[in-house]
Every structure is written in C-alpha cells, then in structure tokens.
Amino acid sequence: MTNTALPIHDYALLDDSECDNRIQAAKAKLGDRCIVLGHHYQRDEVFKHADIYGDSLKLSREAAKSAAEYIVFCGVHFMAEVADILSRPEQIAILPDLAAGCSMADMANKVKVQQCWDELGKVIDVENTVTPVTYINSAADLKAFCGQHDGIVCTSSNAEKILNWSFAQREKILFFPDQHLGRNTGYRMGIPLEQMVTWDFNKPQGGLSEEQIRNAKLILWKGYCSVHQAFQPEQIDAFLEKHPETKVISHPEACFEVCQKSDYIGSTEMILKVVREAEANTRWLVATELNLVNRLHQECKAQGKNVHFMAPTLSMCSTMFRTDPQHLAWILENLVAGHVVNRISVPAEQANLAKKALDNMLVAS
C-alpha cells in the first residue's frame, strides 16, 4: 500500500493494451470488493471491462444489491450520483473521470428550476397544481427538489406511467430537463400539442404568457440531448427511399418529428430487445447513441440483420467518451493500493429527498 494516491498523469501515456492488462490484474486483486458498471453508451475499450452493463438506473440498482464495497461507474456524473443515493452506506460510488458530465443535465440546474417554480407561483397555485418531474438524467439536487415538492423521477422506459401518476396528484406537470421525452410521451398519452408548452429558462416567465401557463397541462423545460438532437426526419425519408423495407426505431430523446416517423419508440433497453428479437434478414434504422448502435450491428450480423445509425455524421456522447482505459486503470490500481479517488458523495439531506422522489417512481411504475 502506498502512502499517497497514484497520480493520473502517470497513466496518460499508457497504450490501451497495457491498460487492459493492468485493469484485469487490478480487478482480479479486488475481486468481489469492486464492481465495474458500463453504460450502453460507453466506448468499447471501457465497456468490455464492465461486470454489468445496461442503462443508468438498472446499473445502480444492481450495484446496490451486490456485495461490492466499491462501485466504479463507467458513465457520467448523474449516474454515479444515483448509484451513491441507492447504494448501502458502506458502499462507495466512484466516477473514473469527474469531467464526464451530461450536457442535457446541465441545462437544468437548481437555481433555474427554483426560479421557474417561483415564477409559476405568481400565475398559478404552483404547490397545489403542479407536480415536478425530473428525468433521471439530472443532477441530484434536482431529484431532491422533486422530493421536496412531492414530485418524482422518471426514466425513458417508464415515463408514461410516471406522468399518469403525476397527473393523479395534480393537474399540471413541470417536466425537466428533456423537452423531447416529455413531448413524445405526452403526445402518446393523448395530450394535445397546444397543451404542452416549452419553458425557455433564459427568458422572463419562460417566454410564456399567463394564459399559456394556465392552459398548459405539461410545461416542458427547454433542454435536450445533443446526441439525439442530431437526428432529423429528413434522414429517415432519405434512407427509406433507398431501403423502403426498413423499420425505424428511435429513443424518445429524439425530436417529435423523428419519433412521429418511427415504427418504434423506446429506451435503450427496449431498442436492444426489439432489434434482437426481430426476424432474421430485417433492416433497422436506429436513432440513438453510436456506440450502442455499432455494437448492436455487430451482434446481429450473423442473423442477417442490417442495423444502421440514423445520422450521416458521427453522433456519440462526448462526455461519456471521457472515460477511457487510462482513467479506469488509474481508479482500480488506486483501490488496490488502498486509495479512493474520484468518490461521488451526495450530501445526506439532498440524498434523502432525492431518494423520496426515486421511491415515488418505484411506486408509480
């Protein structure tokens, strides 16, 4: 055991193959004390070292049930926060690179959401008429905000159930940070587009009139995922001209127009399930992150399935890409040496409120 933590700069110039060997050796030494989680959007060089892979909530739940002392989350910041919130007190959540954030999550922060809540309160009885709903792709303090105001957290797979629960509590919903998930879900539930308004957090009163606020059922935060924003309906049209037999499947973080042209809309887990279970020799156009689509393409080739990425240009989660084999080797070898680096620890009061909103999600879904 060393007296001080091993510095990251000692790993920066290591090639991936050496990192692979060191990661495997460190994991062998740590054994069941450590679990490595890999999100679907993670790059292959890191993804292959994961003990469990999946979406963010699934991974956090599985880690909390494990015997592991250390939870190394190869994902982004909000994911490691959820792992810390849901884990047992003796477990430690770690993010290999603290710079791995989420641009969508950053579009809604506690100050702006509180300002929105206060401004809504000048027009309507916000506490008694609005349920705050945050997508799991958000910071812990926003999950805590929802817990504080009897709100809830949703995922892309349970959003409709969560909105139904929320409307049963109060007549309106404030949904953040992703407008597209909210709009696509609301529309499938039969909410007219005119009753779904977009709150522009850079404008006074969200850029909305008092009449728009009063008439709205769903107030959508003007946030989005930069990866899914790259997909456009024209890309579907052009592809179908060449391959009219293609089935189109999109993540609900894609824009309304793309989802309207899709045969299937669903979470990453749903996309994987549908394509994997599809008939052989079918063709699929997929609107979600590139690493997932590439892996699915390779997996399905033997069945004669053609899985295509929708955008003509590369569209991957650049912040997720920050986690590389060098950072993972650094984290694990420090654990072997008795040092915890890059621990994610949500303050207790905030964690308790966030867990309340997450517990509401369990009840609702």
Side-chain angles (χ1 to χ4, degrees), residues 9-45:
H9 60 71
D10 286 354
Y11 294 78
L13 298 180
L14 295 180
D15 62 39
D16 287 359
S17 61
E18 182 174 354
C19 286
D20 286 345
N21 293 333
R22 293 171 71 159
I23 288 168
Q24 291 165 11
K27 287 185 68 179
K29 290 178 182 177
L30 291 165
D32 292 341
R33 296 178 62 210
C34 177
I35 189 168
V36 177
L37 311 180
H39 190 269
H40 284 307
Y41 295 167
Q42 190 55 253
R43 59 159 82 185
D44 287 344
E45 301 95 318

Short mmCIF file of all heavy atoms in Angstrom, two decimals, residues 9-45:
data_model
loop_
_atom_site.label_atom_id
_atom_site.label_comp_id
_atom_site.label_asym_id
_atom_site.label_seq_id
_atom_site.Cartn_x
_atom_site.Cartn_y
_atom_site.Cartn_z
N HIS A 9 -1.49 11.49 -14.07
CA HIS A 9 -0.55 11.78 -15.18
C HIS A 9 0.39 10.60 -15.44
O HIS A 9 0.95 10.50 -16.53
CB HIS A 9 0.21 13.08 -14.93
CG HIS A 9 1.05 13.10 -13.69
ND1 HIS A 9 2.21 12.37 -13.54
CD2 HIS A 9 0.88 13.80 -12.53
CE1 HIS A 9 2.72 12.61 -12.34
NE2 HIS A 9 1.94 13.46 -11.70
N ASP A 10 0.52 9.70 -14.49
CA ASP A 10 1.34 8.51 -14.73
C ASP A 10 0.68 7.54 -15.71
O ASP A 10 1.33 6.63 -16.22
CB ASP A 10 1.61 7.78 -13.42
CG ASP A 10 2.63 8.50 -12.54
OD1 ASP A 10 3.21 9.50 -13.01
OD2 ASP A 10 2.83 8.07 -11.38
N TYR A 11 -0.61 7.72 -15.95
CA TYR A 11 -1.37 6.80 -16.80
C TYR A 11 -1.68 7.39 -18.17
O TYR A 11 -2.08 6.65 -19.08
CB TYR A 11 -2.69 6.43 -16.11
CG TYR A 11 -2.50 5.63 -14.86
CD1 TYR A 11 -2.10 6.24 -13.67
CD2 TYR A 11 -2.70 4.26 -14.85
CE1 TYR A 11 -1.91 5.50 -12.51
CE2 TYR A 11 -2.52 3.51 -13.69
CZ TYR A 11 -2.11 4.14 -12.53
OH TYR A 11 -1.92 3.40 -11.39
N ALA A 12 -1.51 8.69 -18.32
CA ALA A 12 -1.98 9.38 -19.52
C ALA A 12 -1.38 8.83 -20.81
O ALA A 12 -2.05 8.79 -21.86
CB ALA A 12 -1.71 10.87 -19.40
N LEU A 13 -0.13 8.40 -20.77
CA LEU A 13 0.55 7.96 -21.99
C LEU A 13 0.57 6.44 -22.16
O LEU A 13 1.18 5.93 -23.10
CB LEU A 13 1.99 8.50 -22.02
CG LEU A 13 2.11 10.03 -22.03
CD1 LEU A 13 3.57 10.45 -22.06
CD2 LEU A 13 1.35 10.64 -23.21
N LEU A 14 -0.09 5.72 -21.28
CA LEU A 14 -0.16 4.26 -21.42
C LEU A 14 -1.02 3.89 -22.62
O LEU A 14 -2.07 4.51 -22.86
CB LEU A 14 -0.76 3.63 -20.17
CG LEU A 14 0.01 3.75 -18.85
CD1 LEU A 14 -0.78 3.06 -17.74
CD2 LEU A 14 1.41 3.16 -18.97
N ASP A 15 -0.58 2.90 -23.41
CA ASP A 15 -1.44 2.49 -24.52
C ASP A 15 -2.56 1.59 -23.98
O ASP A 15 -2.50 1.06 -22.86
CB ASP A 15 -0.66 1.81 -25.64
CG ASP A 15 0.03 0.52 -25.21
OD1 ASP A 15 -0.56 -0.24 -24.42
OD2 ASP A 15 1.17 0.28 -25.66
N ASP A 16 -3.60 1.42 -24.79
CA ASP A 16 -4.80 0.72 -24.33
C ASP A 16 -4.51 -0.73 -23.95
O ASP A 16 -5.10 -1.26 -22.99
CB ASP A 16 -5.88 0.77 -25.40
CG ASP A 16 -6.52 2.14 -25.53
OD1 ASP A 16 -6.13 3.05 -24.78
OD2 ASP A 16 -7.42 2.29 -26.39
N SER A 17 -3.61 -1.39 -24.66
CA SER A 17 -3.34 -2.80 -24.37
C SER A 17 -2.69 -2.96 -23.00
O SER A 17 -3.03 -3.90 -22.25
CB SER A 17 -2.45 -3.41 -25.46
OG SER A 17 -1.20 -2.72 -25.53
N GLU A 18 -1.79 -2.05 -22.64
CA GLU A 18 -1.19 -2.11 -21.31
C GLU A 18 -2.24 -1.82 -20.25
O GLU A 18 -2.28 -2.47 -19.19
CB GLU A 18 -0.02 -1.14 -21.18
CG GLU A 18 0.66 -1.23 -19.81
CD GLU A 18 1.92 -0.39 -19.69
OE1 GLU A 18 2.34 0.20 -20.71
OE2 GLU A 18 2.46 -0.32 -18.57
N CYS A 19 -3.11 -0.85 -20.54
CA CYS A 19 -4.19 -0.55 -19.60
C CYS A 19 -5.09 -1.77 -19.41
O CYS A 19 -5.51 -2.08 -18.28
CB CYS A 19 -5.02 0.63 -20.10
SG CYS A 19 -4.21 2.23 -19.93
N ASP A 20 -5.39 -2.47 -20.50
CA ASP A 20 -6.23 -3.66 -20.40
C ASP A 20 -5.63 -4.67 -19.41
O ASP A 20 -6.35 -5.20 -18.55
CB ASP A 20 -6.36 -4.34 -21.78
CG ASP A 20 -7.28 -3.57 -22.72
OD1 ASP A 20 -8.02 -2.70 -22.23
OD2 ASP A 20 -7.26 -3.85 -23.92
N ASN A 21 -4.35 -4.91 -19.54
CA ASN A 21 -3.69 -5.87 -18.66
C ASN A 21 -3.73 -5.41 -17.21
O ASN A 21 -3.98 -6.22 -16.29
CB ASN A 21 -2.24 -6.08 -19.10
CG ASN A 21 -2.13 -6.77 -20.45
OD1 ASN A 21 -3.01 -7.53 -20.84
ND2 ASN A 21 -1.05 -6.51 -21.18
N ARG A 22 -3.51 -4.13 -17.00
CA ARG A 22 -3.48 -3.60 -15.63
C ARG A 22 -4.89 -3.57 -15.03
O ARG A 22 -5.07 -3.81 -13.82
CB ARG A 22 -2.81 -2.23 -15.63
CG ARG A 22 -1.33 -2.34 -15.99
CD ARG A 22 -0.65 -1.02 -16.21
NE ARG A 22 -0.45 -0.26 -14.98
CZ ARG A 22 0.47 0.71 -14.85
NH1 ARG A 22 1.28 1.00 -15.87
NH2 ARG A 22 0.58 1.36 -13.71
N ILE A 23 -5.88 -3.27 -15.86
CA ILE A 23 -7.27 -3.29 -15.38
C ILE A 23 -7.66 -4.70 -14.95
O ILE A 23 -8.23 -4.91 -13.87
CB ILE A 23 -8.23 -2.77 -16.49
CG1 ILE A 23 -8.05 -1.26 -16.67
CG2 ILE A 23 -9.68 -3.10 -16.14
CD1 ILE A 23 -8.71 -0.71 -17.92
N GLN A 24 -7.34 -5.67 -15.79
CA GLN A 24 -7.69 -7.06 -15.47
C GLN A 24 -6.97 -7.55 -14.22
O GLN A 24 -7.57 -8.24 -13.38
CB GLN A 24 -7.36 -7.95 -16.66
CG GLN A 24 -8.27 -7.71 -17.86
CD GLN A 24 -7.74 -8.30 -19.15
OE1 GLN A 24 -6.78 -9.08 -19.14
NE2 GLN A 24 -8.35 -7.94 -20.27
N ALA A 25 -5.72 -7.16 -14.07
CA ALA A 25 -4.95 -7.56 -12.88
C ALA A 25 -5.53 -6.93 -11.62
O ALA A 25 -5.67 -7.58 -10.57
CB ALA A 25 -3.49 -7.18 -13.05
N ALA A 26 -5.89 -5.64 -11.72
CA ALA A 26 -6.45 -4.94 -10.56
C ALA A 26 -7.81 -5.53 -10.18
O ALA A 26 -8.11 -5.72 -8.99
CB ALA A 26 -6.57 -3.45 -10.86
N LYS A 27 -8.62 -5.82 -11.18
CA LYS A 27 -9.94 -6.41 -10.89
C LYS A 27 -9.78 -7.78 -10.22
O LYS A 27 -10.55 -8.12 -9.31
CB LYS A 27 -10.75 -6.55 -12.19
CG LYS A 27 -11.28 -5.23 -12.74
CD LYS A 27 -12.17 -5.45 -13.95
CE LYS A 27 -13.46 -6.16 -13.56
NZ LYS A 27 -14.36 -6.37 -14.70
N ALA A 28 -8.80 -8.53 -10.66
CA ALA A 28 -8.56 -9.85 -10.05
C ALA A 28 -8.16 -9.71 -8.59
O ALA A 28 -8.61 -10.49 -7.73
CB ALA A 28 -7.48 -10.59 -10.83
N LYS A 29 -7.34 -8.71 -8.29
CA LYS A 29 -6.92 -8.49 -6.89
C LYS A 29 -8.09 -8.00 -6.02
O LYS A 29 -8.20 -8.38 -4.86
CB LYS A 29 -5.78 -7.48 -6.85
CG LYS A 29 -4.46 -8.00 -7.41
CD LYS A 29 -3.39 -6.93 -7.39
CE LYS A 29 -2.08 -7.43 -7.99
NZ LYS A 29 -1.04 -6.37 -8.04
N LEU A 30 -8.93 -7.16 -6.59
CA LEU A 30 -10.04 -6.60 -5.81
C LEU A 30 -11.17 -7.61 -5.64
O LEU A 30 -11.88 -7.58 -4.63
CB LEU A 30 -10.56 -5.33 -6.50
CG LEU A 30 -9.61 -4.13 -6.48
CD1 LEU A 30 -10.06 -3.07 -7.48
CD2 LEU A 30 -9.54 -3.52 -5.08
N GLY A 31 -11.36 -8.45 -6.62
CA GLY A 31 -12.40 -9.48 -6.54
C GLY A 31 -13.78 -8.89 -6.32
O GLY A 31 -14.15 -7.89 -6.94
N ASP A 32 -14.55 -9.49 -5.41
CA ASP A 32 -15.92 -9.06 -5.16
C ASP A 32 -16.01 -7.72 -4.45
O ASP A 32 -17.12 -7.19 -4.29
CB ASP A 32 -16.66 -10.12 -4.33
CG ASP A 32 -16.88 -11.41 -5.09
OD1 ASP A 32 -16.80 -11.37 -6.34
OD2 ASP A 32 -17.12 -12.45 -4.45
N ARG A 33 -14.88 -7.19 -4.02
CA ARG A 33 -14.91 -5.88 -3.34
C ARG A 33 -15.26 -4.75 -4.29
O ARG A 33 -15.64 -3.66 -3.85
CB ARG A 33 -13.56 -5.59 -2.69
CG ARG A 33 -13.17 -6.55 -1.57
CD ARG A 33 -11.80 -6.19 -1.04
NE ARG A 33 -11.79 -4.85 -0.46
CZ ARG A 33 -10.72 -4.06 -0.45
NH1 ARG A 33 -9.58 -4.46 -1.02
NH2 ARG A 33 -10.78 -2.87 0.10
N CYS A 34 -15.12 -4.98 -5.59
CA CYS A 34 -15.33 -3.92 -6.57
C CYS A 34 -16.22 -4.42 -7.70
O CYS A 34 -16.08 -5.55 -8.16
CB CYS A 34 -13.97 -3.48 -7.14
SG CYS A 34 -14.09 -2.21 -8.43
N ILE A 35 -17.15 -3.57 -8.14
CA ILE A 35 -17.98 -3.87 -9.30
C ILE A 35 -17.84 -2.71 -10.29
O ILE A 35 -17.91 -1.54 -9.91
CB ILE A 35 -19.45 -4.10 -8.90
CG1 ILE A 35 -20.25 -4.62 -10.09
CG2 ILE A 35 -20.10 -2.85 -8.31
CD1 ILE A 35 -21.62 -5.15 -9.70
N VAL A 36 -17.61 -3.04 -11.55
CA VAL A 36 -17.46 -2.04 -12.61
C VAL A 36 -18.74 -2.03 -13.45
O VAL A 36 -19.16 -3.07 -13.98
CB VAL A 36 -16.25 -2.33 -13.50
CG1 VAL A 36 -16.15 -1.31 -14.64
CG2 VAL A 36 -14.96 -2.32 -12.67
N LEU A 37 -19.38 -0.87 -13.53
CA LEU A 37 -20.63 -0.72 -14.27
C LEU A 37 -20.36 -0.03 -15.61
O LEU A 37 -19.62 0.95 -15.66
CB LEU A 37 -21.62 0.13 -13.47
CG LEU A 37 -21.85 -0.26 -12.00
CD1 LEU A 37 -22.86 0.69 -11.36
CD2 LEU A 37 -22.32 -1.70 -11.89
N GLY A 38 -20.97 -0.54 -16.68
CA GLY A 38 -20.77 0.04 -18.00
C GLY A 38 -22.09 0.44 -18.63
O GLY A 38 -22.95 -0.41 -18.89
N HIS A 39 -22.27 1.74 -18.86
CA HIS A 39 -23.49 2.21 -19.54
C HIS A 39 -23.44 1.84 -21.02
O HIS A 39 -22.37 1.74 -21.61
CB HIS A 39 -23.64 3.72 -19.37
CG HIS A 39 -24.97 4.23 -19.83
ND1 HIS A 39 -25.19 4.67 -21.12
CD2 HIS A 39 -26.16 4.37 -19.18
CE1 HIS A 39 -26.45 5.04 -21.26
NE2 HIS A 39 -27.06 4.87 -20.09
N HIS A 40 -24.63 1.66 -21.61
CA HIS A 40 -24.72 1.27 -23.01
C HIS A 40 -23.98 2.22 -23.96
O HIS A 40 -23.53 1.80 -25.03
CB HIS A 40 -26.19 1.22 -23.45
CG HIS A 40 -26.93 0.01 -22.97
ND1 HIS A 40 -26.49 -1.27 -23.17
CD2 HIS A 40 -28.11 -0.09 -22.30
CE1 HIS A 40 -27.36 -2.12 -22.66
NE2 HIS A 40 -28.35 -1.44 -22.12
N TYR A 41 -23.88 3.49 -23.58
CA TYR A 41 -23.26 4.47 -24.48
C TYR A 41 -21.74 4.54 -24.31
O TYR A 41 -21.08 5.33 -24.99
CB TYR A 41 -23.84 5.87 -24.24
CG TYR A 41 -25.32 6.01 -24.58
CD1 TYR A 41 -26.03 7.13 -24.16
CD2 TYR A 41 -25.99 5.04 -25.31
CE1 TYR A 41 -27.39 7.27 -24.46
CE2 TYR A 41 -27.34 5.18 -25.61
CZ TYR A 41 -28.03 6.30 -25.18
OH TYR A 41 -29.37 6.45 -25.48
N GLN A 42 -21.21 3.75 -23.41
CA GLN A 42 -19.78 3.82 -23.15
C GLN A 42 -18.99 3.25 -24.33
O GLN A 42 -19.44 2.35 -25.03
CB GLN A 42 -19.48 3.02 -21.88
CG GLN A 42 -18.07 3.18 -21.34
CD GLN A 42 -17.70 4.62 -21.10
OE1 GLN A 42 -16.92 5.19 -21.84
NE2 GLN A 42 -18.28 5.23 -20.07
N ARG A 43 -17.80 3.80 -24.53
CA ARG A 43 -16.93 3.32 -25.61
C ARG A 43 -16.51 1.87 -25.37
O ARG A 43 -16.39 1.40 -24.23
CB ARG A 43 -15.68 4.21 -25.71
CG ARG A 43 -14.88 4.26 -24.43
CD ARG A 43 -13.46 4.70 -24.67
NE ARG A 43 -13.31 6.14 -24.76
CZ ARG A 43 -12.16 6.74 -25.07
NH1 ARG A 43 -11.07 6.01 -25.28
NH2 ARG A 43 -12.08 8.05 -25.13
N ASP A 44 -16.26 1.15 -26.46
CA ASP A 44 -15.97 -0.29 -26.39
C ASP A 44 -14.75 -0.60 -25.54
O ASP A 44 -14.72 -1.61 -24.84
CB ASP A 44 -15.76 -0.86 -27.79
CG ASP A 44 -17.05 -0.99 -28.57
OD1 ASP A 44 -18.13 -0.93 -27.95
OD2 ASP A 44 -16.99 -1.14 -29.81
N GLU A 45 -13.73 0.26 -25.61
CA GLU A 45 -12.48 -0.01 -24.90
C GLU A 45 -12.69 -0.08 -23.39
O GLU A 45 -11.92 -0.73 -22.67
CB GLU A 45 -11.44 1.08 -25.20
CG GLU A 45 -11.10 1.23 -26.68
CD GLU A 45 -11.92 2.33 -27.34
OE1 GLU A 45 -13.15 2.40 -27.07
OE2 GLU A 45 -11.36 3.10 -28.12
#
